[in-house]
Amino acid sequence: MAVKNKVQLITYPDSLGGDLKSLNQVLETYFPNTFKGGIHILPPFPSSGDRGFAPLTYTKIDPKFGDWQDIRKIGEKHDVLVDLMVNHISRKSEFFQDFLKHGRKSKYADLFLTLDKIWDDGKPVREDIDKMFLRRNVPYSTFKIEETGEEETVWTTFGKETPSEQIDLDIKSPAVKELFREFLTNFSKQNVKIVRLDAVGYITKKLGTSCFFVEPEIYEFIDWITELASSLDIELLPEVHAHYQTQYKLAKHGNWIYDFILPYMVLSTLINKSSNKLCDYLKNRPHKQFTMLDCHDGVPVKPDLDDLVETKDAQKIVDVCLERGANLSLIYSDSHKNDDGFDVHQIRCSYYSVLDCNDDAYLAARAIQFFTPGIPQVYYVGLLAGKNDEENVKATGEGREINRHNFTMEEIAESVKKDVVKRLLKLIDFRNDYEAFDGDFVVHNTDDNQVRLSWQKDDKMCTLNINLENYKSVIEYVDEYGNLKIYNI
C-alpha cells in the first residue's frame, strides 16, 4: 500500500459533530472529495487521560465515540490513519491493573520497565537522569502492590499526574512485541492503512544517553515493526520531535518523517515578511515527509529548530504569538535549554488566530504548505479557520485546549460558509487534482518579500507566487489544453 500524495485531515473522533458517526456524516455532507489522502483519527480508543493518548487498549473503540464498524465505514471512502503509542499504555489498562494487584507475579509484569531493568539495584542515579531528555520532573512513578503492600517503581516518560497515567512499555520484552503484533493485526482487520508511531523516540532507555532516539537501538525497533506492518499492508509514520538532523537520519533510513520545521518557518516568513530562511530550508529538506501547520499540540520550536533559528529571532516570533493569544509549552530539562535560557518547546495556538485572523495570510500559509514536497495534513480547527479557544483553556487548565475546540453540527454548518474556508477548500482541490505535484519541485530565487515555488511533470506546470507585503497569493498553471491560467487564491 502506498501513501497517496493527496491532502489528509487530522481530527479527534469527537471534534466534528461529537462522535465517529457524525464525523462520517460531516465528511459525506461537506467534504466528500476533499481528503483524498485520508483521515487521521486521533486516538479513538478507551483512554484514561491526555485526550486519548493514554490508551487502555487498541482492540476496542471507546463506546462514546462509536465502534470499529464506524471506523470501517469511514475507511470505505478514505484511508484511515490511527496512532499506536509504542512508548506507553494507560495505568488503567488491564495489563497494568493486573501488575498493580500481583506485582512481579503478574502475567503482564514483563511488559513494564521496573527500575532494576535500568539500574541493577533498582535505585535511580541523579547523574544519569540529568543527561536524559525529560518530559516530567522525574521519569518514573511509584505504586503500591495490592497483594504484598510492597512498592514498585516503573518508568513513566509522560504524564502530569504523580503517579503518572502513562506507563512505559519495555520494548525489549517479547511480551511487548507480541502485544504490538496483536494491535497491528487488529488494525489491519479494521482496514486501517497508516499507523503513526507516537512517541517512538522515547522507547529506548539506556544509561549514559538522553534516553531519546538512542542509536542503533531505535532503528532495530523501527525495522522490526516496519516489517511487521508491511506484512499487514500497513504504512508506518514515526513521530519524533527532535533536532531536525535526527529527523533526517530517519528519512535517510527510508522512513516517512514529520516536517516539524515547516510550521514555524511559515509563521516566521509571514510575520517577518521575509522568505530567505524558508527558501533555504525548502531547498535542503528531504521530500519524504508529512507536512502540517497546526495540530493537537502546538507549533514546534525546541528542540526541532535548534541550530536553524537564533534565540533573538525565535523570541520575536514567540512574543508576537503571545500578543495574539497563544500560550507556551516549555522544556523541562536544563541540559536541553539554550545556553541563554530560551526554553520554548511549542507555541500553542490556532494557526488562523496566530496569523491575526488575516484570511490572505492564512491562505498564503496553506499554499506554502501544499506546494512543499510531502503529504499535507490539515488539522480540523485549521480546516474551519477556528480561533483560539481561550474559554476551554480556562475551563480545563490545559494550555493545549486552545486549539482543540469541539465543533457542533451547527458550528460546522456555519463555518463552511466562511469565505476563508471556501477558498481553502478550493486550494485543497487544486493540490489534490493537479498532476504536476507528482513531478519535480523548484524553489525560485526571488526578492526577500516574495515566495515563488514550482512543480512540473511532463506538460503540466504550476507556480505559486506570494507577495509577503500584502499576502496575495497567485498560482500560474497550465491547463489540460496547454493554456496558461491564473488562479488567485
Side-chain angles (χ1 to χ4, degrees):
M1 177 244 158
V3 172
K4 297 181 177 73
N5 185 16
K6 311 286 183 183
V7 180
Q8 295 184 354
L9 172 69
I10 313 173
T11 181
Y12 284 101
D14 57 340
S15 286
L16 292 174
D19 58 23
L20 290 166
K21 282 186 173 62
S22 298
L23 170 58
N24 193 45
Q25 184 183 337
V26 168
L27 292 171
E28 291 185 348
T29 303
Y30 301 109
F31 315 111
N33 299 302
T34 302
F35 297 105
K36 295 181 178 181
I39 311 295
H40 179 177
I41 302 173
L42 296 169
F45 317 108
S47 173
S48 60
D50 199 13
R51 192 148 181 188
F53 284 87
L56 276 66
T57 181
Y58 296 88
T59 58
K60 300 175 183 176
I61 301 297
D62 192 318
K64 68 175 177 278
F65 302 138
D67 54 31
W68 280 114
Q69 185 176 346
D70 296 315
I71 297 284
R72 293 195 301 273
K73 185 72 175 173
I74 294 170
E76 288 176 6
K77 295 182 179 177
H78 304 89
D79 287 351
V80 171
L81 189 162
V82 297
D83 293 89
L84 177 62
M85 273 59 79
V86 288
N87 180 71
H88 54 263
I89 202 156
S90 171
R91 74 173 178 185
K92 301 288 197 316
S93 67
E94 65 170 309
F95 315 108
F96 195 68
Q97 287 297 303
D98 194 80
F99 177 77
L100 285 179
K101 188 172 184 178
H102 304 296
R104 300 291 177 107
K105 293 180 182 178
S106 168
K107 60 182 176 179
Y108 300 123
D110 199 43
L111 294 178
F112 309 109
L113 275 162
T114 48
L115 290 200
D116 55 293
K117 289 184 176 182
I118 311 295
W119 293 278
D120 289 341
D121 60 2
K123 296 179 181 178
V125 177
R126 188 75 240 179
E127 184 181 342
D128 293 325
I129 294 172
D130 287 342
K131 295 175 183 175
M132 298 173 186
F133 182 60
L134 298 180
R135 298 305 304 273
R136 58 203 307 269
N137 290 328
V138 290
Y140 48 81
S141 297
T142 300
F143 298 88
K144 183 172 284 189
I145 303 304
E146 184 180 325
E147 281 187 356
T148 64
E150 295 176 350
E151 290 188 336
E152 286 282 7
T153 302
V154 297
W155 207 266
T156 53
T157 299
F158 298 96
K160 289 189 174 182
E161 305 88 355
T162 299
S164 175
E165 196 64 44
Q166 292 154 299
I167 311 298
D168 283 37
L169 296 166
D170 179 6
I171 56 108
K172 292 181 180 178
S173 165
V176 168
K177 290 186 174 179
E178 189 53 41
L179 201 60
F180 289 159
R181 186 182 302 277
E182 177 187 342
F183 293 154
L184 284 168
T185 299
N186 180 60
F187 287 162
S188 180
K189 289 178 181 176
Q190 307 301 344
N191 205 25
V192 169
K193 295 298 184 185
I194 309 171
V195 172
R196 181 172 73 168
L197 301 180
D198 187 79
V200 69
Y202 296 92
I203 59 168
T204 303
K205 285 75 178 177
K206 186 176 181 180
L207 294 185
T209 75
S210 67
C211 291
F212 182 85
F213 205 89
V214 178
E215 301 172 88
E217 288 85 348
I218 183 77
Y219 304 121
E220 293 166 3
F221 174 77
I222 287 177
D223 288 347
W224 173 81
I225 201 167
T226 298
E227 183 178 348
L228 171 60
S230 296
S231 72
L232 298 167
D233 199 28
I234 290 174
E235 193 92 34
L236 295 182
L237 170 59
E239 185 259 1
V240 178
H241 273 294
H243 188 281
Y244 69 97
Q245 291 292 358
T246 300
Q247 289 268 50
Y248 290 3
K249 288 178 184 178
L250 263 183
K252 192 173 182 180
H253 197 67
N255 297 97
W256 285 101
I257 61 172
Y258 259 113
D259 190 341
F260 288 131
I261 308 299
L262 190 66
Y264 177 94
M265 284 292 184
V266 171
L267 199 55
S268 172
T269 297
L270 296 170
I271 289 174
N272 291 327
K273 299 181 185 292
S274 170
S275 65
N276 59 348
K277 288 186 178 178
L278 172 71
C279 291
D280 287 344
Y281 171 65
L282 294 180
K283 290 174 183 176
N284 295 298
R285 64 187 281 285
H287 285 194
K288 191 175 178 179
Q289 303 199 49
F290 278 59
T291 69
M292 38 81 83
L293 295 181
D294 45 358
C295 68
H296 64 286
D297 284 335
V299 174
V301 183
K302 284 187 61 65
D304 308 75
L305 284 105
D306 285 352
D307 303 331
L308 281 178
V309 180
E310 293 183 10
T311 293
K312 61 181 177 60
D313 298 325
Q315 191 63 59
K316 175 187 173 183
I317 298 302
V318 167
D319 290 344
V320 170
C321 293
L322 290 173
E323 288 170 12
R324 295 176 179 177
N327 65 65
L328 305 175
S329 165
L330 304 177
I331 295 283
Y332 271 101
S333 308
D334 288 339
S335 60
H336 290 84
K337 297 175 183 178
N338 283 11
D339 292 340
D340 55 20
F342 184 73
D343 61 352
V344 178
H345 179 49
Q346 294 178 345
I347 304 166
R348 302 188 292 209
C349 56
S350 141
Y351 214 84
Y352 184 63
S353 287
V354 87
L355 289 173
D356 221 16
C357 301
N358 182 312
D359 290 3
D360 288 339
Y362 183 64
L363 270 298
R366 288 295 176 193
I368 294 170
Q369 180 196 5
F370 294 168
F371 268 72
T372 297
I375 310 301
Q377 292 187 322
V378 176
Y379 186 59
Y380 75 98
V381 177
L383 171 67
L384 299 176
K387 298 179 181 180
N388 290 338
D389 191 342
E390 294 170 4
E391 287 184 13
N392 213 19
V393 174
K394 291 175 185 174
T396 61
E398 169 57 74
R400 292 177 296 179
E401 289 294 324
I402 196 168
N403 199 33
R404 296 179 176 184
H405 181 74
N406 287 335
F407 289 84
T408 65
M409 285 298 203
E410 292 74 22
E411 287 174 321
I412 296 166
E414 287 303 308
S415 295
V416 295
K417 295 176 185 175
K418 294 190 291 191
D419 184 59
V420 63
V421 175
K422 291 178 180 177
R423 291 166 64 191
L424 176 57
L425 293 176
K426 183 180 177 183
L427 184 59
I428 291 173
D429 287 343
F430 184 86
R431 173 61 179 80
N432 281 336
D433 299 336
Y434 196 72
E435 299 96 320
F437 289 105
D438 286 320
D440 297 317
F441 174 67
V442 175
V443 181
H444 296 275
N445 294 322
T446 63
D447 293 338
D448 196 32
N449 64 352
Q450 304 285 324
V451 175
R452 186 174 172 85
L453 310 173
S454 290
W455 283 91
Q456 182 164 1
K457 183 181 181 183
D458 301 327
D459 59 345
K460 294 292 189 294
M461 184 274 296
C462 59
T463 300
L464 170 67
N465 296 282
I466 299 175
N467 182 338
L468 294 174
E469 296 299 331
N470 58 17
Y471 303 128
K472 296 297 182 185
S473 305
V474 176
I475 297 174
E476 300 171 332
Y477 68 99
V478 177
D479 72 8
E480 57 191 307
Y481 304 108
N483 300 316
L484 186 64
K485 296 285 188 178
I486 303 295
Y487 165 22
N488 292 295
I489 295 174

